[in-house]
């Protein structure tokens, strides 16, 4: 995959965490358990259980230091 920022080739890998993976619109003390208000997007695999662990494929650009994640893939 080509980096959309610099055009160089990206490397496929994984972002992993012992808890599940979420993006949240509000910063929280424990980001892996996105309780409370605000929007959240589940990034990891599985059913969204924050106690199971998570991983997701991610493309890394070594040149411009960007990581791209496609979420919503099963």
């Amino acid at each position: 995959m080509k980096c959309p920022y610099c055009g160089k080739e990206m490397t496929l890998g994984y972002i992993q965490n012992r808890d599940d993976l979420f993006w949240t619109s509000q910063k929280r003390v424990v980001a892996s358990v996105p309780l409370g208000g605000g929007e959240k997007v589940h990034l990891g695999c599985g059913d969204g259980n924050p106690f199971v662990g998570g991983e997701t494929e991610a493309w890394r650009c070594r040149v411009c230091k960007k990581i791209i994640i496609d979420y919503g893939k099963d």
Side-chain angles (χ1 to χ4, degrees), residues 13-33:
Y14 297 90
I15 292 180
Q16 300 173 302
N17 191 28
R18 67 174 180 83
D19 300 318
D20 216 337
L21 302 171
F22 291 93
W23 172 93
T24 60
S25 62
Q26 296 177 359
K27 186 176 179 179
R28 295 178 172 82
V29 176
V30 182
S32 63
V33 183

Side-chain angles (χ1 to χ4, degrees), residues 18-66:
R18 67 174 180 83
D19 300 318
D20 216 337
L21 302 171
F22 291 93
W23 172 93
T24 60
S25 62
Q26 296 177 359
K27 186 176 179 179
R28 295 178 172 82
V29 176
V30 182
S32 63
V33 183
L35 303 174
E39 181 182 4
K40 71 176 181 178
V41 176
H42 181 238
L43 301 176
C45 65
D47 61 3
N49 182 339
F51 303 105
V52 174
E55 66 183 40
T56 190
E57 288 185 349
W59 291 90
R60 174 183 171 217
C61 180
R62 293 175 186 261
V63 176
C64 64
K65 310 294 190 231
K66 303 284 187 198

